[in-house]
Amino acid sequence: MTDEVWLVVGLGNPGPTYAGHRHNIGYLVTDELARRMGSGFRSHKSGRADVVEGRLGAPGLPGPRVVLARPRSYMNESGGSVKALATFYKVEPERIIAIHDELDIAFNTLRLKLGGGDNGHNGLRSMRASLGTGDFYRVRVGIGRPPGRQDVADFVLSNYSSTEKKELPFQVIDAADAVESLITDGLEKSQQRFNS
């Protein structure tokens, strides 16, 4: 087993104002992963992100080394934080996983992929610009399209509906499982399991 580090980035906006928004699903999933690792987020010495360092996997088994990260900057500037962490921990883009909301996927659905465009997602665009490549993994957590004529920006920066809030904990658990699977089983097996 290699002891190389994985950098798992939960994309979102910092602060309590944004905590329950659809755009912050990356933060919710990294919270679940931190809980599994038995640790809480703390400020990284770069001052640009909160991190948890540890191992993912079954208790008592030395799983892969993982750094969970939540950039402290707003979504559209998160790439700088990710680049700083990747440099600090010596992580290449092919060992970075971004967890983010995805409009083109129905709520309660996941898709995993390597590389691709940013599809209008400012967090992915910022990461791609800062890293100089889009060749990192994505755990795309479906939020669906806004109802009626609601503006996309208003939709992603709003709270989940009451119906969605009941399902959200299960979606968060699935996305956290998908991250673990991606690290331990690779993309192909994980896609077969989660890209339902």
Side-chain angles (χ1 to χ4, degrees):
M1 182 186 76
T2 174
D3 210 35
E4 287 182 281
V5 177
W6 284 83
L7 178 59
V8 178
V9 181
L11 291 176
N13 287 310
T17 311
Y18 300 97
H21 291 176
R22 291 177 175 89
H23 223 22
N24 272 40
I25 189 68
Y27 276 25
L28 295 177
V29 176
T30 51
D31 281 343
E32 169 62 18
L33 290 166
R35 188 192 63 72
R36 293 178 186 191
M37 288 166 66
S39 193
F41 281 90
R42 59 176 177 68
S43 178
H44 186 262
K45 57 187 76 168
S46 69
R48 301 176 73 177
D50 294 324
V51 297
V52 171
E53 296 176 41
R55 294 185 182 273
L56 268 176
L61 293 174
R65 288 179 62 208
V66 174
V67 176
L68 303 176
R70 293 192 309 209
R72 281 189 171 175
S73 48
Y74 288 102
M75 180 76 83
N76 58 353
E77 297 169 350
S78 49
S81 305
V82 176
K83 173 69 174 166
L85 292 170
T87 302
F88 182 86
Y89 291 104
K90 300 177 178 61
V91 178
E92 295 299 317
E94 62 271 11
R95 297 184 76 79
I96 296 175
I97 301 171
I99 308 163
H100 63 91
D101 57 309
E102 181 65 64
L103 285 160
D104 289 334
I105 299 174
F107 175 76
N108 228 357
T109 308
L110 293 174
R111 293 282 185 276
L112 310 180
K113 73 176 194 174
L114 173 62
D118 54 46
N119 203 18
H121 194 288
N122 290 333
L124 293 176
R125 183 179 299 134
S126 178
M127 280 183 66
R128 170 192 285 277
S130 295
L131 294 169
T133 180
D135 291 338
F136 49 85
Y137 290 100
R138 295 104 187 274
V139 174
R140 305 159 68 211
V141 184
I143 60 169
R145 285 259 161 207
R149 296 180 175 212
Q150 185 180 6
D151 179 67
V152 166
D154 290 341
F155 179 69
V156 299
L157 293 175
S158 64
N159 291 325
Y160 286 92
S161 71
S162 54
T163 308
E164 288 170 338
K165 280 181 187 168
K166 293 185 181 111
E167 295 295 322
L168 188 59
F170 303 105
Q171 188 175 28
V172 167
I173 286 168
D174 280 350
D177 288 348
V179 170
E180 288 198 43
S181 176
L182 199 48
I183 292 171
T184 56
D185 300 328
L187 181 62
E188 199 175 323
K189 272 189 182 173
S190 301
Q191 284 178 323
Q192 286 169 1
R193 181 175 164 199
F194 291 98
N195 290 15
S196 49

